Amino acid sequence: MKSPPPVDPESPAPPGTPSDCKGGRQGSKRLPWRMTLSLAYQSLGVVYGDLSTSPLYVYKAAFAEDIQHSETNEEILGVLSFVFWTLTLVPLLKYVCIVLRADDNGEGGTFALYSLLCRHARAALLPAGRGAEAGDDDQFLDMGAKKALENGNARTLVGRGGGGAAASVRRLLERHKVLQRVLLVLALVGTCMVIGDGVLTPAISVFSAVSGLELSMEKHQHKYVEVPIACIVLVCLFALQHYGTHRLGFLFAPIVIVWLLCISMIGVYNIVHWEPHVYRALSPYYMYKFLRKTQRGGWMSLGGILLCITGSEAMFADLGHFNQLSIQIAFTCMVYPSLILAYMGQAAYLCKHHIIESDYRIGFYVSVPEKIRWPVLAIAILAAVVGSQAVITGTFSMIKQCTALGCFPRVKIIHTSDKVHGQIYIPEINWILMILCLALTIGFRDTKHLGNASGLAVITVMLVTTCLMSLVIVLCWHKSIFLAFGFIMFFGTIEALYFSASLIKFREGAWVPIVLSFIFMAIMCIWHYGTIKKYEFDLQNKVSINWLLGLSPNLGIVRVCGIGLIHTELDSGIPAIFSHFVTNLPAFHQVLIFLCIKNVATPHVSPEERFLVGRIGPKEYRIYRCIVRYGYHDVHQDDQEFEKELVCSIAEFIRSGASSNKLKNGISEEAEKDEEQMSIIPSGSIRMLEEDGAAEDTIAVGSTSRGADREIVSPSPSPPVVVPRKRVRFVLPAASPRPDPGVREELQELTNAREAGMAFILGHSYVKAKNGSSFFRRLVINFCYDFLRRNSRGPNYAVTIPHASTLEVGMIYYV
């Protein structure tokens, strides 16, 4: 039987295909219109909650002390003109028409752009695994994509094609480590600002919604009511997170739809009743008049106008839950027209009400007819909760991506939905967000400072997206470098204008996202640095395979019954932790498996490509290596199911004869001794059945044929004491040929080992700075990284392992 070809464990899918750059998992195939419309309906509740509640606070933030009101309408119409063109150019033109096409196999967000770029250029600074040996490339090519192998240990797949511009930019990124670090820092800055937005958006959305109470209360008394009610709503919001969005998801879309219809109808009423000619402000000429008259005050007010596009990044970040067309339909047909009508309605009302007693009169609720003010208040609070929920869930997803790629300490991740893998809950992050959110709400107590903070976080994420998108246009889409330059100049200039207006308000609240991002950035960089140093130590101190093959009974090494599962972060060679273990305890199991779990920079790895299996040494040693690859959006399997699939992949590897194939394309025999060939083992080929049984009077049974499937049944020797144990059977595919005696013997030994049990050998490494290190390195490694390691979760595979089957080996790494 022809064995599967060897592959690169770090590269689960060939890049350069249309699914890498546009279309993705869902966009690569046309969905029925009914399903697309259903997704568009659902996206209203998940994606657009934050964006749809922005009319609650935009005008109030724009007119907060920066603009002197006059008897004319130039300031009001100027703000409306800025709002209209900002909504048109950024969410509609930039995101809906351009950025949504740059998905990473259906996933969006800052890290999706980063992983997409890393697969088209060798720019990844994350630990890379051993590359694939040369194999049959044709089985991995799609739409002209080629696989380029890099000399040395780290080999990645790089999509070829495009003109000289793409090749030049790629070479520039690959040659200069500084540019690779800048690229990673850009991705981390965008991620940190998204986390900061997860703190600020619930605070400003809920507080702005509750602020409608001030219109029905006496002056200065509302401050004693708004803050407690906002805090109660926020506590309830975060306390309900563990139930998952899928339990209340069917309510989200109707709430947002009712809210959008409500603000659009109020907008139409105000336009007709107060100022029908407010449409004149749609001319960009009013922006010029506004800045000419207000000058510095008008420029500073842009920090408040910016809030009209908060939540736009969610269209791209939540792309994995929907498809490109559904998000485009929802925005262009429902969200965009409703927001424009709402802002025009507020401007029409303000044009006829120049006598303003206090700043709260600029708020949203003053333009709502008094008879429906209370129902609108209730709908607004619900819509604010929905918008906050979407941002919190997005923050959880971003943390999960960073954790999977080794850029954030491990945290407990709970999947709240069996159908939608993106719906997760992280307890530690949830309570941290709640505490920070309450602190900001109680500390600021107004939308002005909260708006300044939120605006800076939002515009920073958009600037990062613009920078990364310009590289995607050249490297992934293979477009002209002038087109990429035009993209970054046009949108970068707009966003830089808003960024400067937000940054100038540093003392008035804009310092919050900077401090939050600095804290999270420091955590990410320290964890990433410590992880890299630990990985480099493993690479430098790994033991050669010849050392393992040299172990013999003459040295006192014995083999015990069962399967020994040794986890390692290396995908080649023998980890130093194993030599440390054998030196102190000269015994290991009859079947030894070196398990390497790889989190690769791609959203999903299909089950057919998840397991890579190879053999270490001759057959009679029964030593295997298994690399299990997960994408940053994949759900890790249950421990028992994972054990079964792992053993089945080894059995399929043995049955297929993949281990007997020699390396091709001029690989020398000497290199073959040191590096084993890895092969993809598709899941589901062999099934393993486990039955409860007794070991008293069963004898060796060869292979039996039951039905259409062929079974390999293990012999169960008769011990002197009757001990209940599980009987293991491998069920081979019906059409498979009868295995030869050598394969049957190896499968038989695997079944015996599985029946005897599986032991998990876990390494606990303590990273310390070596003698002579600088003060900064000792501070980072010995204190900061060690503190994060001791207060973070263990690996996912270590949480569910039975303690009775675990053997822990400790070792100090001096880096």
Side-chain angles (χ1 to χ4, degrees):
M1 176 179 294
K2 185 179 180 180
S3 66
V7 295
D8 188 347
E10 287 291 328
S11 305
T17 64
S19 63
D20 276 326
C21 306
K22 50 187 177 182
R25 277 185 305 127
Q26 296 160 336
S28 58
K29 59 181 181 179
R30 285 283 183 179
L31 294 177
W33 274 103
R34 181 177 297 179
M35 185 178 295
T36 300
L37 293 177
S38 174
L39 289 174
Y41 167 79
Q42 297 172 37
S43 69
L44 289 170
V46 177
V47 177
Y48 296 110
D50 184 18
L51 186 61
S52 63
T53 55
S54 57
L56 289 171
Y57 43 79
V58 168
Y59 277 99
K60 188 173 183 177
F63 286 98
E65 300 178 8
D66 294 326
I67 304 174
Q68 297 296 326
H69 307 294
S70 65
E71 295 296 326
T72 64
N73 296 329
E74 289 185 3
E75 295 89 345
I76 297 170
L77 295 179
V79 170
L80 175 60
S81 184
F82 265 103
V83 168
F84 170 77
W85 285 105
T86 303
L87 276 172
T88 302
L89 294 177
V90 179
L92 184 61
L93 181 59
K94 176 185 171 182
Y95 281 94
V96 171
C97 298
I98 302 175
V99 176
L100 285 181
R101 298 173 58 230
D103 64 299
D104 181 24
N105 292 328
E107 301 294 337
T110 306
F111 252 102
L113 290 176
Y114 176 73
S115 65
L116 188 63
L117 289 170
C118 289
R119 293 214 311 277
H120 286 79
R122 300 183 188 96
L125 290 177
L126 304 175
R130 177 179 60 87
E133 309 300 344
D136 188 6
D137 288 350
D138 294 338
Q139 300 193 35
F140 294 95
L141 301 183
D142 187 14
M143 301 296 292
K146 301 290 184 181
K147 183 163 71 172
L149 296 178
E150 176 185 351
N151 294 328
N153 281 334
R155 293 171 180 154
T156 56
L157 291 176
V158 179
R160 297 182 183 249
S168 300
V169 173
R170 184 164 58 240
R171 284 195 298 269
L172 195 65
L173 278 174
E174 292 172 354
R175 290 176 180 174
H176 296 85
K177 277 283 186 182
V178 175
L179 296 179
Q180 296 175 17
R181 292 191 180 96
V182 169
L183 195 63
L184 178 61
V185 168
L186 267 179
L188 293 180
V189 167
T191 302
C192 293
M193 284 297 180
V194 169
I195 298 172
D197 194 30
V199 175
L200 295 164
T201 294
I204 188 172
S205 297
V206 172
F207 190 84
S208 299
V210 173
S211 65
L213 295 171
E214 59 191 333
L215 292 179
S216 58
M217 303 184 69
E218 295 183 8
K219 193 174 183 180
H220 301 303
Q221 289 186 353
H222 60 86
K223 294 184 178 180
Y224 301 103
V225 178
E226 290 175 358
V227 175
I229 292 179
C231 290
I232 291 173
V233 173
L234 288 172
V235 170
C236 293
L237 172 64
F238 284 100
L240 294 175
Q241 288 299 311
H242 70 279
Y243 288 106
T245 56
H246 69 286
R247 299 184 185 274
L248 299 174
F250 70 96
L251 290 177
F252 286 3
I255 289 173
V256 175
I257 289 174
V258 170
W259 169 250
L260 290 173
L261 291 176
C262 179
I263 61 175
S264 59
M265 287 189 294
I266 292 173
V268 171
Y269 169 81
N270 285 330
I271 292 171
V272 174
H273 191 265
W274 297 111
E275 182 55 73
H277 299 291
V278 74
Y279 65 86
R280 294 175 300 173
L282 303 185
S283 169
Y285 175 68
Y286 281 86
M287 291 191 292
Y288 167 73
K289 292 178 64 177
F290 172 77
L291 292 177
R292 185 182 62 181
K293 182 175 182 179
T294 57
Q295 296 181 0
R296 187 175 186 275
W299 170 62
M300 294 182 64
S301 71
L302 294 179
I305 298 173
L306 165 66
L307 299 178
C308 70
I309 53 176
T310 55
S312 299
E313 188 71 21
M315 287 191 289
F316 186 46
D318 293 335
L319 184 60
H321 299 286
F322 308 97
N323 67 344
Q324 182 187 132
L325 185 58
S326 64
I327 292 180
Q328 291 171 332
I329 290 174
F331 182 79
T332 55
C333 297
M334 186 72 185
V335 178
Y336 179 74
S338 299
L339 291 177
I340 296 300
L341 289 174
Y343 287 117
M344 290 177 66
Q346 289 187 63
Y349 178 87
L350 294 175
C351 285
K352 298 297 182 182
H353 298 80
H354 291 288
I355 302 176
I356 301 172
E357 297 177 2
S358 63
D359 64 340
Y360 73 79
R361 290 294 180 183
I362 300 294
F364 167 77
Y365 293 102
V366 72
S367 64
V368 178
E370 195 169 348
K371 294 181 180 180
I372 61 171
R373 193 167 287 166
W374 283 103
V376 171
L377 174 64
I379 298 172
I381 293 176
L382 291 175
V385 170
V386 171
S388 303
Q389 173 67 49
V391 175
I392 294 169
T393 304
T395 303
F396 290 161
S397 298
M398 196 68 68
I399 293 291
K400 180 178 181 291
Q401 293 180 26
C402 295
T403 303
L405 296 177
C407 293
F408 197 83
R410 289 183 291 264
V411 291
K412 183 178 181 180
I413 298 176
I414 300 173
H415 294 270
T416 60
S417 173
D418 296 331
K419 297 179 180 179
V420 182
H421 291 171
Q423 294 182 359
I424 59 175
Y425 169 66
I426 305 178
E428 297 96 329
I429 300 299
N430 182 68
W431 302 123
I432 290 174
L433 291 179
M434 187 192 76
I435 293 171
L436 293 175
C437 210
L438 292 175
L440 292 177
T441 304
I442 297 172
F444 285 146
R445 301 186 182 185
D446 63 4
T447 55
K448 175 187 173 182
H449 291 82
L450 290 173
N452 293 339
S454 180
L456 184 60
V458 168
I459 198 61
T460 304
V461 176
M462 292 182 176
L463 269 172
V464 170
T465 301
T466 299
C467 295
L468 295 179
M469 266 302 303
S470 62
L471 292 176
V472 168
I473 290 173
V474 176
L475 290 176
C476 306
W477 293 353
H478 307 302
K479 301 295 183 182
S480 168
I481 196 170
F482 297 104
L483 184 63
F485 182 75
F487 177 87
I488 196 173
M489 285 300 298
F490 181 74
F491 292 106
T493 302
I494 296 173
E495 291 161 359
L497 180 65
Y498 282 115
F499 180 80
S500 62
S502 300
L503 194 61
I504 201 68
K505 298 182 179 181
F506 180 84
R507 295 184 177 180
E508 299 175 3
W511 58 269
V512 173
I514 296 177
V515 172
L516 288 177
S517 63
F518 177 79
I519 294 173
F520 282 103
M521 188 77 173
I523 293 173
M524 290 181 178
C525 290
I526 290 171
W527 185 262
H528 178 70
Y529 178 77
T531 303
I532 289 290
K533 290 301 177 183
K534 178 183 173 184
Y535 183 79
E536 289 176 352
F537 181 91
D538 276 331
L539 283 178
Q540 295 168 3
N541 294 273
K542 67 181 180 180
V543 182
S544 67
I545 296 175
N546 291 331
W547 173 86
L548 180 63
L549 300 182
L551 299 177
S552 66
N554 297 331
L555 300 178
I557 303 295
V558 296
R559 304 291 290 267
V560 298
C561 296
I563 297 177
L565 193 64
I566 302 172
H567 180 267
T568 173
E569 294 181 0
L570 299 176
D571 50 25
S572 65
I574 307 301
I577 201 83
F578 180 70
S579 64
H580 183 67
F581 165 70
V582 173
T583 302
N584 291 275
L585 184 63
F588 53 88
H589 296 79
Q590 67 182 109
V591 175
L592 198 62
I593 302 174
F594 288 93
L595 175 66
C596 176
I597 297 178
K598 284 287 182 183
N599 290 289
V600 294
T602 192
H604 300 280
V605 177
S606 64
E608 293 76 17
E609 299 179 349
R610 190 174 306 283
F611 288 90
L612 276 72
V613 181
R615 184 189 299 280
I616 301 177
K619 280 187 178 183
E620 56 269 17
Y621 278 73
R622 306 294 192 251
I623 303 176
Y624 310 93
R625 184 186 307 283
C626 184
I627 299 174
V628 186
R629 299 177 297 178
Y630 288 97
Y632 54 76
H633 270 307
D634 282 333
V635 180
H636 288 242
Q637 297 163 299
D638 175 75
D639 58 328
Q640 294 183 354
E641 189 66 29
F642 176 78
E643 287 179 25
K644 287 184 178 180
E645 290 204 17
L646 177 63
V647 176
C648 286
S649 67
I650 300 293
E652 174 62 24
F653 174 78
I654 296 170
R655 184 191 68 86
S656 66
S659 57
S660 63
N661 286 358
K662 299 297 182 182
L663 299 183
K664 303 176 182 179
N665 297 326
I667 303 287
S668 66
E669 290 293 327
E670 184 177 350
E672 186 179 353
K673 293 179 182 179
D674 293 334
E675 295 291 340
E676 69 278 9
Q677 180 182 3
M678 305 300 295
S679 300
I680 291 179
I681 303 299
S683 60
S685 300
I686 289 184
R687 292 185 295 116
M688 184 176 70
L689 302 180
E690 293 182 322
E691 299 175 351
D692 292 330
E696 60 267 27
D697 49 35
T698 53
I699 59 174
V701 181
S703 69
T704 62
S705 179
R706 183 176 300 175
D709 291 331
R710 188 180 302 277
E711 300 176 359
I712 301 295
V713 186
S714 67
S716 299
S718 301
V721 180
V722 177
V723 180
R725 62 188 301 181
K726 287 187 176 181
R727 288 173 54 83
V728 176
R729 297 199 310 254
F730 288 118
V731 182
L732 308 182
S736 64
R738 187 179 183 85
D740 59 57
V743 172
R744 286 170 54 80
E745 180 185 355
E746 195 169 358
L747 286 174
Q748 196 69 70
E749 192 162 347
L750 182 62
T751 21
N752 292 342
R754 174 60 180 169
E755 286 186 351
M758 182 178 288
F760 300 87
I761 302 174
L762 302 179
H764 278 269
S765 55
Y766 301 91
V767 182
K768 299 291 182 182
K770 57 187 176 183
N771 294 333
S773 299
S774 64
F775 171 77
F776 179 75
R777 173 176 283 194
R778 293 199 305 271
L779 176 66
V780 170
I781 296 295
N782 294 350
F783 295 97
C784 300
Y785 179 77
D786 187 63
F787 174 80
L788 293 175
R789 183 192 60 79
R790 286 187 283 106
N791 290 277
S792 62
R793 299 270 177 171
N796 293 333
Y797 57 85
V799 176
T800 55
I801 290 175
H803 293 287
S805 306
T806 304
L807 181 62
E808 297 185 1
V809 182
M811 188 174 179
I812 298 179
Y813 286 15
Y814 289 99
V815 299

PDB file of all heavy atoms in Angstrom, residues 110-127:
ATOM      1  N   THR A 110      -6.687  40.506  13.775  1.00  0.00           N
ATOM      2  CA  THR A 110      -5.290  40.905  13.659  1.00  0.00           C
ATOM      3  C   THR A 110      -4.362  39.714  13.516  1.00  0.00           C
ATOM      4  O   THR A 110      -3.484  39.680  12.653  1.00  0.00           O
ATOM      5  CB  THR A 110      -4.890  41.746  14.889  1.00  0.00           C
ATOM      6  OG1 THR A 110      -5.805  42.840  15.040  1.00  0.00           O
ATOM      7  CG2 THR A 110      -3.500  42.298  14.734  1.00  0.00           C
ATOM      8  N   PHE A 111      -4.558  38.698  14.353  1.00  0.00           N
ATOM      9  CA  PHE A 111      -3.689  37.534  14.298  1.00  0.00           C
ATOM     10  C   PHE A 111      -3.915  36.725  13.032  1.00  0.00           C
ATOM     11  O   PHE A 111      -3.009  36.036  12.555  1.00  0.00           O
ATOM     12  CB  PHE A 111      -3.894  36.652  15.536  1.00  0.00           C
ATOM     13  CG  PHE A 111      -2.738  36.721  16.489  1.00  0.00           C
ATOM     14  CD1 PHE A 111      -2.819  37.477  17.637  1.00  0.00           C
ATOM     15  CD2 PHE A 111      -1.571  36.051  16.220  1.00  0.00           C
ATOM     16  CE1 PHE A 111      -1.760  37.557  18.515  1.00  0.00           C
ATOM     17  CE2 PHE A 111      -0.492  36.117  17.093  1.00  0.00           C
ATOM     18  CZ  PHE A 111      -0.581  36.870  18.243  1.00  0.00           C
ATOM     19  N   ALA A 112      -5.119  36.782  12.471  1.00  0.00           N
ATOM     20  CA  ALA A 112      -5.378  36.094  11.207  1.00  0.00           C
ATOM     21  C   ALA A 112      -4.544  36.717  10.092  1.00  0.00           C
ATOM     22  O   ALA A 112      -3.968  35.999   9.259  1.00  0.00           O
ATOM     23  CB  ALA A 112      -6.860  36.149  10.863  1.00  0.00           C
ATOM     24  N   LEU A 113      -4.459  38.048  10.060  1.00  0.00           N
ATOM     25  CA  LEU A 113      -3.608  38.711   9.073  1.00  0.00           C
ATOM     26  C   LEU A 113      -2.139  38.358   9.292  1.00  0.00           C
ATOM     27  O   LEU A 113      -1.384  38.126   8.334  1.00  0.00           O
ATOM     28  CB  LEU A 113      -3.808  40.227   9.146  1.00  0.00           C
ATOM     29  CG  LEU A 113      -5.145  40.787   8.665  1.00  0.00           C
ATOM     30  CD1 LEU A 113      -5.195  42.288   8.893  1.00  0.00           C
ATOM     31  CD2 LEU A 113      -5.366  40.472   7.198  1.00  0.00           C
ATOM     32  N   TYR A 114      -1.729  38.313  10.547  1.00  0.00           N
ATOM     33  CA  TYR A 114      -0.333  37.992  10.845  1.00  0.00           C
ATOM     34  C   TYR A 114       0.019  36.571  10.407  1.00  0.00           C
ATOM     35  O   TYR A 114       1.054  36.342   9.780  1.00  0.00           O
ATOM     36  CB  TYR A 114      -0.081  38.163  12.344  1.00  0.00           C
ATOM     37  CG  TYR A 114       1.311  37.761  12.777  1.00  0.00           C
ATOM     38  CD1 TYR A 114       2.405  38.553  12.462  1.00  0.00           C
ATOM     39  CD2 TYR A 114       1.520  36.589  13.494  1.00  0.00           C
ATOM     40  CE1 TYR A 114       3.685  38.182  12.846  1.00  0.00           C
ATOM     41  CE2 TYR A 114       2.792  36.216  13.880  1.00  0.00           C
ATOM     42  CZ  TYR A 114       3.869  37.021  13.562  1.00  0.00           C
ATOM     43  OH  TYR A 114       5.133  36.650  13.937  1.00  0.00           O
ATOM     44  N   SER A 115      -0.834  35.605  10.734  1.00  0.00           N
ATOM     45  CA  SER A 115      -0.556  34.224  10.338  1.00  0.00           C
ATOM     46  C   SER A 115      -0.605  34.063   8.825  1.00  0.00           C
ATOM     47  O   SER A 115       0.139  33.264   8.249  1.00  0.00           O
ATOM     48  CB  SER A 115      -1.561  33.276  10.998  1.00  0.00           C
ATOM     49  OG  SER A 115      -2.869  33.517  10.532  1.00  0.00           O
ATOM     50  N   LEU A 116      -1.479  34.833   8.162  1.00  0.00           N
ATOM     51  CA  LEU A 116      -1.545  34.789   6.701  1.00  0.00           C
ATOM     52  C   LEU A 116      -0.243  35.281   6.089  1.00  0.00           C
ATOM     53  O   LEU A 116       0.289  34.681   5.137  1.00  0.00           O
ATOM     54  CB  LEU A 116      -2.721  35.638   6.220  1.00  0.00           C
ATOM     55  CG  LEU A 116      -3.084  35.590   4.734  1.00  0.00           C
ATOM     56  CD1 LEU A 116      -3.510  34.197   4.337  1.00  0.00           C
ATOM     57  CD2 LEU A 116      -4.191  36.587   4.433  1.00  0.00           C
ATOM     58  N   LEU A 117       0.302  36.355   6.630  1.00  0.00           N
ATOM     59  CA  LEU A 117       1.571  36.887   6.131  1.00  0.00           C
ATOM     60  C   LEU A 117       2.727  35.926   6.411  1.00  0.00           C
ATOM     61  O   LEU A 117       3.618  35.767   5.578  1.00  0.00           O
ATOM     62  CB  LEU A 117       1.855  38.252   6.779  1.00  0.00           C
ATOM     63  CG  LEU A 117       0.967  39.405   6.326  1.00  0.00           C
ATOM     64  CD1 LEU A 117       1.188  40.625   7.210  1.00  0.00           C
ATOM     65  CD2 LEU A 117       1.238  39.757   4.874  1.00  0.00           C
ATOM     66  N   CYS A 118       2.697  35.286   7.583  1.00  0.00           N
ATOM     67  CA  CYS A 118       3.791  34.368   7.931  1.00  0.00           C
ATOM     68  C   CYS A 118       3.804  33.138   7.045  1.00  0.00           C
ATOM     69  O   CYS A 118       4.855  32.513   6.873  1.00  0.00           O
ATOM     70  CB  CYS A 118       3.669  33.952   9.400  1.00  0.00           C
ATOM     71  SG  CYS A 118       4.057  35.274  10.559  1.00  0.00           S
ATOM     72  N   ARG A 119       2.675  32.775   6.477  1.00  0.00           N
ATOM     73  CA  ARG A 119       2.637  31.613   5.603  1.00  0.00           C
ATOM     74  C   ARG A 119       3.061  31.963   4.178  1.00  0.00           C
ATOM     75  O   ARG A 119       3.308  31.074   3.376  1.00  0.00           O
ATOM     76  CB  ARG A 119       1.228  31.003   5.583  1.00  0.00           C
ATOM     77  CG  ARG A 119       0.823  30.384   6.905  1.00  0.00           C
ATOM     78  CD  ARG A 119      -0.048  29.174   6.703  1.00  0.00           C
ATOM     79  NE  ARG A 119      -1.137  29.406   5.784  1.00  0.00           N
ATOM     80  CZ  ARG A 119      -2.295  29.969   6.114  1.00  0.00           C
ATOM     81  NH1 ARG A 119      -2.480  30.390   7.355  1.00  0.00           N
ATOM     82  NH2 ARG A 119      -3.252  30.131   5.222  1.00  0.00           N
ATOM     83  N   HIS A 120       3.116  33.251   3.861  1.00  0.00           N
ATOM     84  CA  HIS A 120       3.574  33.667   2.539  1.00  0.00           C
ATOM     85  C   HIS A 120       4.991  34.240   2.567  1.00  0.00           C
ATOM     86  O   HIS A 120       5.541  34.582   1.532  1.00  0.00           O
ATOM     87  CB  HIS A 120       2.609  34.706   1.949  1.00  0.00           C
ATOM     88  CG  HIS A 120       1.320  34.105   1.485  1.00  0.00           C
ATOM     89  ND1 HIS A 120       0.298  33.775   2.348  1.00  0.00           N
ATOM     90  CD2 HIS A 120       0.887  33.758   0.253  1.00  0.00           C
ATOM     91  CE1 HIS A 120      -0.715  33.265   1.666  1.00  0.00           C
ATOM     92  NE2 HIS A 120      -0.376  33.238   0.400  1.00  0.00           N
ATOM     93  N   ALA A 121       5.547  34.370   3.755  1.00  0.00           N
ATOM     94  CA  ALA A 121       6.941  34.789   3.913  1.00  0.00           C
ATOM     95  C   ALA A 121       7.450  34.192   5.206  1.00  0.00           C
ATOM     96  O   ALA A 121       6.694  34.037   6.165  1.00  0.00           O
ATOM     97  CB  ALA A 121       7.045  36.320   3.941  1.00  0.00           C
ATOM     98  N   ARG A 122       8.720  33.870   5.243  1.00  0.00           N
ATOM     99  CA  ARG A 122       9.294  33.279   6.450  1.00  0.00           C
ATOM    100  C   ARG A 122       9.545  34.385   7.471  1.00  0.00           C
ATOM    101  O   ARG A 122      10.675  34.747   7.754  1.00  0.00           O
ATOM    102  CB  ARG A 122      10.582  32.546   6.106  1.00  0.00           C
ATOM    103  CG  ARG A 122      10.383  31.417   5.103  1.00  0.00           C
ATOM    104  CD  ARG A 122      11.679  30.677   4.846  1.00  0.00           C
ATOM    105  NE  ARG A 122      11.528  29.731   3.745  1.00  0.00           N
ATOM    106  CZ  ARG A 122      11.863  29.983   2.497  1.00  0.00           C
ATOM    107  NH1 ARG A 122      12.347  31.169   2.175  1.00  0.00           N
ATOM    108  NH2 ARG A 122      11.700  29.072   1.556  1.00  0.00           N
ATOM    109  N   ALA A 123       8.459  34.894   8.025  1.00  0.00           N
ATOM    110  CA  ALA A 123       8.560  36.029   8.939  1.00  0.00           C
ATOM    111  C   ALA A 123       8.104  35.683  10.346  1.00  0.00           C
ATOM    112  O   ALA A 123       8.018  36.554  11.199  1.00  0.00           O
ATOM    113  CB  ALA A 123       7.718  37.208   8.413  1.00  0.00           C
ATOM    114  N   ALA A 124       7.790  34.400  10.592  1.00  0.00           N
ATOM    115  CA  ALA A 124       7.284  34.012  11.904  1.00  0.00           C
ATOM    116  C   ALA A 124       8.422  33.915  12.904  1.00  0.00           C
ATOM    117  O   ALA A 124       9.465  33.318  12.626  1.00  0.00           O
ATOM    118  CB  ALA A 124       6.546  32.680  11.816  1.00  0.00           C
ATOM    119  N   LEU A 125       8.222  34.505  14.084  1.00  0.00           N
ATOM    120  CA  LEU A 125       9.192  34.403  15.170  1.00  0.00           C
ATOM    121  C   LEU A 125       8.772  33.360  16.190  1.00  0.00           C
ATOM    122  O   LEU A 125       9.462  33.149  17.183  1.00  0.00           O
ATOM    123  CB  LEU A 125       9.347  35.762  15.870  1.00  0.00           C
ATOM    124  CG  LEU A 125      10.055  36.837  15.045  1.00  0.00           C
ATOM    125  CD1 LEU A 125      10.069  38.145  15.808  1.00  0.00           C
ATOM    126  CD2 LEU A 125      11.462  36.413  14.691  1.00  0.00           C
ATOM    127  N   LEU A 126       7.610  32.713  15.959  1.00  0.00           N
ATOM    128  CA  LEU A 126       7.158  31.670  16.856  1.00  0.00           C
ATOM    129  C   LEU A 126       7.998  30.420  16.610  1.00  0.00           C
ATOM    130  O   LEU A 126       8.535  30.225  15.523  1.00  0.00           O
ATOM    131  CB  LEU A 126       5.669  31.369  16.616  1.00  0.00           C
ATOM    132  CG  LEU A 126       4.769  32.591  16.735  1.00  0.00           C
ATOM    133  CD1 LEU A 126       3.349  32.223  16.362  1.00  0.00           C
ATOM    134  CD2 LEU A 126       4.818  33.149  18.144  1.00  0.00           C
ATOM    135  N   PRO A 127       8.110  29.534  17.619  1.00  0.00           N
ATOM    136  CA  PRO A 127       8.935  28.337  17.440  1.00  0.00           C
ATOM    137  C   PRO A 127       8.481  27.522  16.244  1.00  0.00           C
ATOM    138  O   PRO A 127       7.316  27.204  16.097  1.00  0.00           O
ATOM    139  CB  PRO A 127       8.713  27.554  18.751  1.00  0.00           C
ATOM    140  CG  PRO A 127       8.318  28.592  19.737  1.00  0.00           C
ATOM    141  CD  PRO A 127       7.551  29.625  18.969  1.00  0.00           C
TER     142      PRO A 127
END
